[in-house]
Amino acid sequence: AQKVTQAQTEISVVEKEDVTLDCVYETRDTTYYLFWYKQPPSGELVFLIRRNSFDEQNEISGRYSWNFQKSTSSFNFTITASQVVDSAVYFCALSEDGSGTYKYIFGTGTRLKVLA
Amino acid sequence: DTGVSQNPRHKITKRGQNVTFRCDPISEHNRLYWYRQTLGQGPEFLTYFQNEAQLEKSRLLSDRFSAERPKGSFSTLEIQRTEQGDSAMYLCALGEAGIYGYTFGSGTRLTVV
């Protein structure tokens, strides 16, 4: 069965600290896709990144970086030099290829509070 | 602009009433999804349309729920005989191919009193 676990319910950091949000997933499919979304207080889900199961390259986008490790079924997200505007709930999600629906299985989210 | 408009933004209704939400894509997308998000949880899949065809429904979608997408453009989600457990944020999402990441609407927050 598919499952996404975000064990960290809430994290608080002081501005300019680095922070890593953990995501562990379970799937039986060999082809699957992993995503991170940001949900600021306004409520809208904002797409951050997609990774497919064939591509284990880490990715960096500005202050954001992602570490995908199939061996540990993890897709962790690091924010470098955090800012107050990074305060939000962050969701990791899994989508499998099998049915063609590409529906997402979301984790329960990690609330990040960045204090000035 | 997110590319997806959802109305209303908020809806308060009395238990037992029927409610209808609407999702309007600003541009054409063949795939449309509905999700439900309760407080402190991640969104959960409800149903999926490819153009006007409803191709998958979650077990979460009881027979009190119905969704339509006439002409493959906008979509509506109706809940009949609302219950307090239906209180949640209802999210519409679009994706040409879901693997590239959906575009989510801002959602409709339903409160059943």
Side-chain angles (χ1 to χ4, degrees):
Chain A
Q2 328 95 309
K3 188 177 179 182
V4 175
T5 301
Q6 294 180 255
Q8 303 151 307
T9 306
E10 185 168 316
I11 301 175
S12 292
V13 298
V14 176
E15 207 170 17
K16 297 184 184 174
E17 285 186 1
D18 299 347
V19 58
T20 295
L21 309 182
D22 297 335
C23 173
V24 174
Y25 62 92
E26 293 176 32
T27 178
R28 291 183 190 153
D29 278 20
T30 53
T31 303
Y32 53 89
Y33 308 90
L34 296 164
F35 303 83
W36 276 95
Y37 279 82
K38 175 181 180 179
Q39 189 172 45
S42 60
E44 188 178 307
L45 281 157
V46 178
F47 169 78
L48 295 177
I49 192 169
R50 170 190 68 91
R51 243 319 160 249
N52 71 47
S53 53
F54 299 109
D55 182 3
E56 284 194 73
Q57 274 192 329
N58 291 331
E59 181 154 340
I60 298 174
S61 175
R63 296 184 298 106
Y64 295 170
S65 62
W66 291 269
N67 183 290
F68 175 31
Q69 293 199 339
K70 283 179 79 169
S71 60
T72 55
S73 296
S74 65
F75 186 42
N76 297 337
F77 173 30
T78 298
I79 302 174
T80 303
S82 58
Q83 300 176 0
V84 172
V85 293
D86 296 327
S87 297
V89 181
Y90 291 86
F91 290 99
C92 180
L94 165 71
S95 180
E96 294 172 329
D97 198 26
S99 68
T101 303
Y102 300 112
K103 60 179 179 270
Y104 288 7
I105 307 298
F106 282 87
T108 50
T110 297
R111 180 176 299 278
L112 174 64
K113 292 184 177 178
V114 181
L115 308 172
Chain B
D1 194 338
T2 66
V4 186
S5 175
Q6 287 193 249
N7 289 290
R9 289 296 307 274
H10 302 275
K11 178 73 178 177
I12 300 175
T13 191
K14 290 185 179 177
R15 192 174 53 182
Q17 297 293 306
N18 299 344
V19 293
T20 300
F21 313 136
R22 182 174 168 122
C23 170
D24 280 277
I26 292 175
S27 56
E28 245 179 65
H29 285 81
N30 60 353
R31 290 172 175 256
L32 185 147
Y33 302 80
W34 284 98
Y35 282 77
R36 180 173 73 184
Q37 185 178 17
T38 53
L39 210 59
Q41 299 297 315
E44 296 173 294
F45 170 77
L46 291 179
T47 191
Y48 155 63
F49 288 87
Q50 175 119 8
N51 299 312
E52 67 274 11
Q54 188 175 19
L55 296 184
E56 187 168 339
K57 294 195 289 187
S58 160
R59 280 174 288 180
L60 292 175
L61 219 62
S62 75
D63 56 7
R64 296 185 298 105
F65 288 70
S66 63
E68 294 183 340
R69 194 184 184 199
K71 301 178 185 176
S73 55
F74 71 91
S75 177
T76 57
L77 178 67
E78 181 184 16
I79 309 175
Q80 296 184 327
R81 305 181 303 282
T82 52
E83 301 172 356
Q84 286 190 321
D86 298 330
S87 295
M89 175 79 86
Y90 291 84
L91 295 160
C92 178
L94 306 175
E96 283 301 327
I99 59 173
Y100 294 109
Y102 301 155
T103 299
F104 279 90
S106 299
T108 294
R109 181 168 297 284
L110 172 67
T111 302
V112 181
V113 297

XYZ file of all heavy atoms in Angstrom, chain A residues 20-99:
659
model
N 15.707 21.050 7.811
C 15.404 19.924 6.918
C 14.092 19.299 7.323
O 13.878 18.976 8.499
C 16.520 18.869 6.964
O 17.722 19.444 6.437
C 16.150 17.658 6.119
N 13.231 19.130 6.337
C 11.933 18.494 6.529
C 12.018 17.088 5.961
O 12.425 16.896 4.809
C 10.838 19.290 5.811
C 10.794 20.794 6.103
C 9.632 21.436 5.347
C 10.705 21.074 7.577
N 11.621 16.113 6.766
C 11.774 14.718 6.377
C 10.510 14.171 5.711
O 9.390 14.544 6.081
C 12.083 13.858 7.614
C 13.401 14.237 8.271
O 14.279 14.777 7.571
O 13.536 13.999 9.482
N 10.718 13.264 4.772
C 9.601 12.579 4.115
C 10.039 11.149 3.816
O 11.077 10.936 3.169
C 9.223 13.299 2.820
S 8.000 12.429 1.819
N 9.263 10.196 4.270
C 9.512 8.783 3.981
C 8.270 8.231 3.307
O 7.149 8.525 3.715
C 9.806 7.994 5.281
C 9.916 6.510 4.983
C 11.085 8.505 5.926
N 8.480 7.447 2.250
C 7.331 6.959 1.485
C 7.371 5.445 1.354
O 8.426 4.822 1.514
C 7.292 7.619 0.093
C 8.497 7.290 -0.748
C 8.493 6.204 -1.619
C 9.659 8.060 -0.656
C 9.604 5.893 -2.371
C 10.778 7.759 -1.409
C 10.745 6.669 -2.259
O 11.857 6.353 -2.996
N 6.208 4.871 1.050
C 6.108 3.438 0.776
C 5.323 3.253 -0.514
O 4.255 3.853 -0.694
C 5.347 2.716 1.904
C 6.048 2.700 3.236
C 5.184 2.059 4.313
O 4.398 1.144 3.989
O 5.289 2.489 5.481
N 5.833 2.428 -1.383
C 5.127 2.098 -2.613
C 5.634 0.776 -3.141
O 6.792 0.419 -2.911
C 5.324 3.193 -3.678
O 4.649 2.807 -4.875
C 6.787 3.439 -3.985
N 4.767 0.071 -3.873
C 5.178 -1.180 -4.529
C 5.522 -0.932 -5.994
O 6.098 -1.796 -6.642
C 4.059 -2.200 -4.448
C 3.803 -2.718 -3.057
C 2.726 -3.775 -3.070
N 2.317 -4.105 -1.710
C 1.135 -4.567 -1.393
N 0.234 -4.749 -2.327
N 0.840 -4.851 -0.149
N 5.148 0.238 -6.505
C 5.410 0.526 -7.912
C 6.890 0.822 -8.132
O 7.574 1.335 -7.248
C 4.595 1.735 -8.372
C 3.179 1.368 -8.729
O 2.714 0.302 -8.282
O 2.535 2.155 -9.450
N 7.350 0.505 -9.320
C 8.730 0.846 -9.669
C 8.801 2.232 -10.292
O 9.853 2.866 -10.291
C 9.320 -0.176 -10.651
O 8.439 -0.297 -11.773
C 9.482 -1.536 -9.981
N 7.674 2.682 -10.834
C 7.612 4.029 -11.390
C 6.675 4.867 -10.536
O 5.504 4.530 -10.391
C 7.107 4.017 -12.843
O 7.957 3.185 -13.630
C 7.095 5.429 -13.414
N 7.192 5.912 -9.989
C 6.381 6.765 -9.133
C 6.990 8.158 -9.123
O 8.088 8.386 -9.648
C 6.274 6.198 -7.702
C 7.604 5.890 -7.049
C 8.284 6.875 -6.316
C 8.182 4.632 -7.176
C 9.508 6.586 -5.731
C 9.403 4.349 -6.594
C 10.065 5.320 -5.869
O 11.276 5.035 -5.299
N 6.242 9.083 -8.546
C 6.652 10.481 -8.553
C 6.475 11.049 -7.149
O 5.516 10.710 -6.446
C 5.795 11.273 -9.557
C 5.796 10.624 -10.915
C 4.835 9.668 -11.257
C 6.775 10.920 -11.846
C 4.870 9.026 -12.476
C 6.806 10.291 -13.073
C 5.857 9.348 -13.384
O 5.882 8.714 -14.594
N 7.378 11.879 -6.769
C 7.349 12.504 -5.445
C 7.294 14.010 -5.610
O 7.902 14.570 -6.523
C 8.597 12.110 -4.658
C 8.710 10.622 -4.340
C 10.118 10.265 -3.924
C 7.708 10.227 -3.262
N 6.580 14.640 -4.711
C 6.353 16.079 -4.802
C 6.491 16.713 -3.422
O 6.268 16.069 -2.396
C 4.926 16.371 -5.294
C 4.578 15.747 -6.614
C 4.158 14.430 -6.689
C 4.662 16.479 -7.788
C 3.826 13.845 -7.907
C 4.331 15.913 -9.010
C 3.910 14.599 -9.067
N 6.815 17.992 -3.436
C 6.680 18.824 -2.251
C 5.794 20.011 -2.609
O 5.955 20.603 -3.684
C 8.036 19.342 -1.765
C 8.761 18.363 -0.895
C 9.703 17.453 -1.281
C 8.623 18.208 0.521
N 10.144 16.736 -0.202
C 9.511 17.169 0.920
C 7.841 18.830 1.487
C 9.626 16.764 2.250
C 7.957 18.421 2.803
C 8.841 17.397 3.171
N 4.882 20.317 -1.669
C 4.006 21.471 -1.799
C 4.111 22.317 -0.541
O 4.316 21.803 0.557
C 2.540 21.050 -1.981
C 2.184 20.647 -3.384
C 2.467 19.373 -3.856
C 1.570 21.547 -4.256
C 2.151 19.005 -5.151
C 1.239 21.182 -5.549
C 1.533 19.912 -5.984
O 1.223 19.555 -7.275
N 3.921 23.614 -0.720
C 3.911 24.567 0.395
C 2.491 25.100 0.558
O 1.846 25.442 -0.432
C 4.862 25.725 0.088
C 4.864 26.861 1.104
C 5.824 27.961 0.667
C 5.851 29.106 1.667
N 6.797 30.178 1.253
N 2.008 25.149 1.795
C 0.683 25.709 2.057
C 0.841 26.844 3.066
O 0.901 26.627 4.268
C -0.282 24.641 2.581
C -1.724 25.124 2.656
C -2.687 24.004 2.982
O -2.441 23.190 3.870
N -3.824 23.959 2.277
N 0.920 28.082 2.554
C 1.040 29.224 3.462
C -0.284 29.468 4.177
O -1.284 28.817 3.873
C 1.387 30.379 2.507
C 0.880 29.943 1.182
C 0.911 28.447 1.156
N -0.308 30.403 5.120
C -1.552 30.664 5.864
C -2.748 30.988 4.974
O -3.890 30.758 5.372
C -1.172 31.859 6.748
C 0.291 31.697 6.965
C 0.827 31.145 5.672
N -2.518 31.493 3.785
C -3.635 31.797 2.878
C -4.362 30.531 2.436
O -5.497 30.593 1.964
C -3.128 32.554 1.645
O -2.179 31.758 0.961
N -3.714 29.387 2.560
C -4.384 28.113 2.309
C -4.120 27.475 0.971
O -4.397 26.294 0.781
N -3.614 28.221 0.016
C -3.413 27.666 -1.319
C -2.175 26.770 -1.350
O -1.148 27.108 -0.796
C -3.235 28.826 -2.282
C -3.200 28.497 -3.725
C -3.073 29.774 -4.519
O -3.897 30.679 -4.303
O -2.139 29.866 -5.331
N -2.268 25.633 -1.998
C -1.126 24.722 -2.123
C -0.258 25.154 -3.302
O -0.729 25.259 -4.428
C -1.615 23.299 -2.338
C -2.091 22.596 -1.077
C -3.049 21.470 -1.420
C -0.908 22.037 -0.305
N 1.023 25.352 -3.028
C 1.950 25.836 -4.040
C 2.950 24.727 -4.363
O 3.636 24.212 -3.480
C 2.699 27.090 -3.544
C 3.702 27.554 -4.593
C 1.720 28.205 -3.206
N 3.030 24.372 -5.637
C 3.935 23.329 -6.101
C 5.376 23.802 -5.963
O 5.719 24.907 -6.373
C 3.612 23.015 -7.560
C 4.612 22.158 -8.273
C 4.637 20.801 -8.078
C 5.508 22.719 -9.162
C 5.548 20.001 -8.745
C 6.421 21.930 -9.850
C 6.443 20.568 -9.644
N 6.241 22.943 -5.389
C 7.653 23.280 -5.243
C 8.532 22.441 -6.155
O 9.402 22.974 -6.844
C 8.108 23.085 -3.791
C 7.466 23.997 -2.748
C 7.970 23.643 -1.358
C 7.727 25.460 -3.067
N 8.333 21.122 -6.149
C 9.208 20.263 -6.918
C 8.555 18.913 -7.189
O 7.699 18.459 -6.432
C 10.557 20.021 -6.209
C 11.539 19.363 -7.181
C 10.362 19.172 -4.954
C 12.956 19.327 -6.681
N 8.962 18.304 -8.305
C 8.596 16.938 -8.653
C 9.873 16.144 -8.881
O 10.844 16.646 -9.436
C 7.782 16.924 -9.942
C 7.552 15.541 -10.520
C 6.953 15.649 -11.931
N 7.898 16.210 -12.877
C 8.745 15.508 -13.612
N 8.798 14.194 -13.480
N 9.538 16.116 -14.458
N 9.851 14.888 -8.446
C 10.960 13.977 -8.698
C 10.387 12.670 -9.192
O 9.439 12.157 -8.615
C 11.722 13.693 -7.419
C 13.167 14.103 -7.289
C 13.975 13.876 -8.449
N 15.184 14.681 -8.443
C 15.373 15.677 -9.283
N 14.452 16.023 -10.140
N 16.493 16.330 -9.271
N 10.942 12.055 -10.230
C 10.473 10.738 -10.615
C 11.434 9.673 -10.090
O 12.583 9.960 -9.761
C 10.237 10.638 -12.124
C 11.520 10.648 -12.909
O 12.461 9.942 -12.574
N 11.559 11.447 -13.958
N 10.938 8.468 -10.045
C 11.679 7.393 -9.383
C 12.963 7.011 -10.100
O 13.807 6.313 -9.539
C 10.783 6.162 -9.224
O 10.206 5.793 -10.471
N 13.105 7.448 -11.338
C 14.312 7.102 -12.086
C 15.444 8.105 -11.890
O 16.566 7.868 -12.308
C 13.999 7.034 -13.587
C 12.982 5.995 -13.915
C 11.705 6.347 -14.318
C 13.297 4.658 -13.814
C 10.764 5.384 -14.619
C 12.350 3.692 -14.112
C 11.086 4.055 -14.511
N 15.113 9.207 -11.261
C 16.079 10.292 -11.195
C 16.446 10.575 -9.744
O 15.688 11.239 -9.038
C 15.492 11.544 -11.853
C 16.467 12.707 -11.868
O 17.623 12.519 -11.406
O 16.074 13.786 -12.325
N 17.583 10.071 -9.330
C 17.985 10.259 -7.942
C 18.913 11.439 -7.753
O 19.478 11.627 -6.688
C 18.653 8.991 -7.403
C 17.671 7.887 -7.087
C 18.293 6.789 -6.256
O 18.526 7.019 -5.054
O 18.546 5.701 -6.804
N 19.059 12.243 -8.774
C 19.905 13.425 -8.618
C 19.289 14.380 -7.617
O 18.090 14.632 -7.636
C 20.026 14.155 -9.959
C 21.117 13.630 -10.836
C 21.372 14.579 -11.992
O 20.493 15.256 -12.469
N 22.612 14.615 -12.436
N 20.121 14.912 -6.768
C 19.632 15.940 -5.867
C 19.429 17.234 -6.641
O 20.042 17.437 -7.690
C 20.621 16.156 -4.720
C 20.648 14.953 -3.806
O 19.660 14.237 -3.677
N 21.791 14.704 -3.191
N 18.561 18.074 -6.125
C 18.266 19.304 -6.843
C 18.352 20.492 -5.898
O 18.009 20.401 -4.726
C 16.865 19.229 -7.460
C 16.490 20.476 -8.244
C 15.478 20.211 -9.326
O 15.323 19.051 -9.735
O 14.828 21.179 -9.759
N 18.825 21.579 -6.447
C 18.928 22.819 -5.682
C 18.236 23.912 -6.473
O 18.424 24.043 -7.681
C 20.398 23.216 -5.442
C 21.108 22.137 -4.620
C 20.483 24.570 -4.728
C 22.598 22.371 -4.465
N 17.402 24.674 -5.765
C 16.760 25.821 -6.394
C 16.822 26.973 -5.408
O 16.037 27.045 -4.467
C 15.309 25.481 -6.752
O 14.639 26.618 -7.265
N 17.766 27.834 -5.591
C 17.927 28.947 -4.664
C 18.266 28.451 -3.272
O 19.252 27.724 -3.085
N 17.429 28.796 -2.310
C 17.679 28.364 -0.924
C 17.117 26.967 -0.640
O 17.282 26.442 0.455
C 17.048 29.370 0.047
C 17.653 30.761 -0.011
C 17.053 31.688 1.025
N 15.615 31.894 0.830
C 14.663 31.357 1.600
N 14.983 30.584 2.632
N 13.388 31.608 1.358
N 16.415 26.398 -1.622
C 15.780 25.090 -1.439
C 16.647 23.991 -2.055
O 17.211 24.182 -3.143
C 14.419 25.059 -2.144
C 13.358 25.980 -1.616
C 12.173 26.146 -2.329
C 13.501 26.680 -0.430
C 11.162 26.979 -1.864
C 12.506 27.512 0.045
C 11.332 27.660 -0.680
O 10.331 28.489 -0.222
N 16.707 22.859 -1.384
C 17.350 21.695 -1.968
C 16.606 20.443 -1.536
O 15.953 20.420 -0.485
C 18.836 21.618 -1.560
O 18.959 21.480 -0.167
N 16.706 19.424 -2.377
C 16.001 18.177 -2.123
C 16.961 17.014 -2.252
O 17.782 16.972 -3.168
C 14.852 18.004 -3.128
C 13.751 18.991 -2.906
C 12.653 18.831 -2.120
C 13.646 20.294 -3.469
N 11.872 19.960 -2.162
C 12.459 20.873 -2.977
C 14.445 21.056 -4.337
C 12.037 22.158 -3.328
C 14.040 22.330 -4.692
C 12.847 22.865 -4.190
N 16.813 16.061 -1.339
C 17.658 14.872 -1.320
C 16.774 13.647 -1.453
O 16.012 13.316 -0.544
C 18.454 14.837 -0.004
C 19.406 13.669 0.041
O 18.987 12.523 0.137
N 20.685 13.952 -0.060
N 16.882 12.961 -2.593
C 16.058 11.788 -2.882
C 16.940 10.556 -2.746
O 17.944 10.443 -3.453
C 15.484 11.903 -4.294
C 14.708 10.710 -4.772
C 13.994 9.903 -3.896
C 14.678 10.389 -6.121
C 13.270 8.819 -4.351
C 13.951 9.309 -6.590
C 13.254 8.519 -5.697
N 16.575 9.623 -1.873
C 17.343 8.392 -1.700
C 16.395 7.205 -1.764
O 15.649 6.941 -0.805
C 18.093 8.418 -0.369
C 19.183 9.472 -0.312
C 20.198 9.208 0.794
O 19.903 8.492 1.747
N 21.375 9.778 0.667
N 16.443 6.471 -2.858
C 15.576 5.295 -3.015
C 15.918 4.220 -2.002
O 15.044 3.490 -1.552
C 15.701 4.732 -4.430
C 14.937 5.538 -5.455
C 15.102 4.970 -6.846
C 14.230 3.764 -7.079
N 14.213 3.392 -8.517
N 17.183 4.114 -1.643
C 17.595 3.049 -0.727
C 16.911 3.160 0.631
O 16.665 2.159 1.299
C 19.116 3.070 -0.544
O 19.526 4.317 -0.003
N 16.587 4.376 1.022
C 15.917 4.588 2.310
C 14.480 5.097 2.127
O 13.820 5.441 3.104
C 16.688 5.602 3.176
O 16.856 6.817 2.427
C 18.043 5.057 3.582
N 14.025 5.130 0.871
C 12.660 5.614 0.553
C 12.407 6.977 1.192
O 11.399 7.208 1.863
C 11.602 4.615 1.030
O 11.726 3.396 0.355
N 13.349 7.872 0.986
C 13.202 9.190 1.587
C 13.368 10.297 0.546
O 14.095 10.131 -0.451
C 14.214 9.382 2.716
O 15.532 9.372 2.214
N 12.698 11.379 0.773
C 12.760 12.544 -0.127
C 12.707 13.773 0.764
O 11.661 14.372 0.986
C 11.586 12.484 -1.109
C 11.615 13.559 -2.172
C 12.793 13.909 -2.821
C 10.441 14.203 -2.555
C 12.819 14.877 -3.815
C 10.446 15.176 -3.549
C 11.629 15.507 -4.177
N 13.856 14.158 1.273
C 13.926 15.227 2.264
C 14.154 16.587 1.626
O 14.757 16.699 0.555
C 15.037 14.941 3.275
C 14.760 13.680 4.067
O 13.624 13.238 4.198
N 15.821 13.076 4.591
N 13.696 17.601 2.316
C 13.674 18.973 1.796
C 14.410 19.881 2.770
O 14.072 19.890 3.959
C 12.203 19.379 1.646
C 11.944 20.807 1.277
C 12.830 21.551 0.512
C 10.761 21.405 1.681
C 12.550 22.866 0.167
C 10.470 22.729 1.336
C 11.364 23.456 0.578
N 15.402 20.593 2.277
C 16.179 21.490 3.122
C 16.014 22.935 2.680
O 16.114 23.223 1.477
C 17.671 21.115 3.104
O 17.821 19.801 3.642
C 18.504 22.094 3.921
N 15.753 23.792 3.632
C 15.728 25.228 3.376
C 16.965 25.814 4.045
O 17.171 25.649 5.260
C 14.459 25.895 3.942
C 13.208 25.253 3.336
C 14.484 27.396 3.666
C 11.905 25.757 3.934
N 17.767 26.478 3.254
C 18.993 27.102 3.755
C 18.712 28.563 4.079
O 17.980 29.226 3.349
C 20.097 27.014 2.688
O 20.289 25.633 2.350
C 21.403 27.593 3.196
N 19.278 29.025 5.186
C 19.104 30.434 5.582
C 17.626 30.803 5.578
O 17.173 31.679 4.822
C 19.905 31.349 4.656
N 16.874 30.145 6.422
C 15.416 30.304 6.432
C 15.008 31.764 6.661
O 15.743 32.552 7.277
C 14.804 29.426 7.508
O 15.332 29.754 8.785
N 13.841 32.083 6.131
C 13.280 33.426 6.263
C 11.872 33.320 6.827
O 11.218 32.274 6.694
C 13.246 34.116 4.892
C 14.611 34.271 4.253
C 14.525 34.875 2.867
O 13.441 35.191 2.349
N 15.679 35.047 2.228
N 11.385 34.404 7.390
C 10.037 34.401 7.982
C 8.990 33.994 6.942
O 8.024 33.302 7.250
C 9.717 35.780 8.596
C 8.264 35.852 9.046
C 10.650 36.069 9.779
N 9.215 34.390 5.690
C 8.244 34.067 4.625
C 8.186 32.573 4.330
O 7.280 32.111 3.625
C 8.541 34.822 3.312
C 8.328 36.298 3.499
C 9.930 34.511 2.802
N 9.137 31.820 4.845
C 9.102 30.362 4.656
C 8.113 29.692 5.610
O 7.833 28.504 5.488
C 10.493 29.756 4.888
C 11.519 30.225 3.875
O 11.144 30.460 2.701
O 12.704 30.359 4.247
N 7.603 30.432 6.565
C 6.645 29.871 7.520
C 5.405 29.385 6.776
O 4.749 30.160 6.063
C 6.244 30.923 8.563
O 7.357 31.327 9.323
N 5.111 28.120 6.932
C 4.006 27.494 6.195
C 3.921 26.037 6.639
O 4.742 25.558 7.412
C 4.244 27.563 4.689
N 2.923 25.345 6.094
C 2.873 23.886 6.232
C 3.389 23.292 4.928
O 2.976 23.720 3.841
C 1.445 23.383 6.516
C 1.450 21.859 6.677
C 0.890 24.053 7.772
N 4.288 22.352 5.028
C 4.888 21.727 3.858
C 4.430 20.275 3.769
O 4.498 19.526 4.743
C 6.413 21.796 3.934
C 6.932 23.200 3.777
C 7.026 24.052 4.877
C 7.302 23.681 2.517
C 7.479 25.358 4.721
C 7.761 24.982 2.366
C 7.846 25.813 3.472
O 8.289 27.102 3.316
N 3.953 19.910 2.578
C 3.458 18.555 2.345
C 4.332 17.840 1.335
O 4.691 18.399 0.295
C 2.027 18.595 1.802
C 1.008 19.032 2.812
C 0.560 20.337 2.828
C 0.497 18.135 3.736
C -0.373 20.759 3.754
C -0.441 18.543 4.669
C -0.875 19.854 4.672
N 4.601 16.591 1.639
C 5.239 15.672 0.705
C 4.121 14.796 0.128
O 3.163 14.454 0.845
C 6.258 14.831 1.475
S 7.178 13.633 0.516
N 4.224 14.452 -1.133
C 3.181 13.642 -1.769
C 3.796 12.631 -2.721
O 4.869 12.855 -3.292
C 2.187 14.537 -2.515
N 3.085 11.516 -2.898
C 3.508 10.420 -3.759
C 2.425 10.183 -4.806
O 1.231 10.217 -4.484
C 3.673 9.153 -2.910
C 3.761 7.797 -3.601
C 5.089 7.644 -4.331
C 3.587 6.674 -2.584
N 2.832 9.971 -6.047
C 1.888 9.614 -7.097
C 2.441 8.399 -7.833
O 3.616 8.384 -8.207
C 1.710 10.792 -8.065
O 0.799 10.476 -9.080
N 1.606 7.391 -8.032
C 2.050 6.176 -8.687
C 1.563 6.137 -10.123
O 0.555 6.748 -10.475
C 1.550 4.949 -7.929
C 2.164 4.836 -6.541
C 1.521 3.744 -5.722
O 0.325 3.481 -5.927
O 2.212 3.168 -4.876
N 2.291 5.353 -10.936
C 2.043 5.330 -12.375
C 0.964 4.344 -12.772
O 0.369 4.440 -13.827
C 3.365 4.958 -13.060
C 3.363 5.311 -14.520
O 2.631 6.237 -14.910
O 4.090 4.658 -15.284
N 0.682 3.392 -11.883
C -0.059 2.205 -12.273
C -1.426 2.426 -12.894
O -1.731 1.902 -13.959
N -2.279 3.232 -12.246
C -3.669 3.313 -12.702
C -3.875 4.349 -13.797
O -4.916 4.376 -14.434
C -4.573 3.655 -11.522
O -4.300 4.985 -11.097
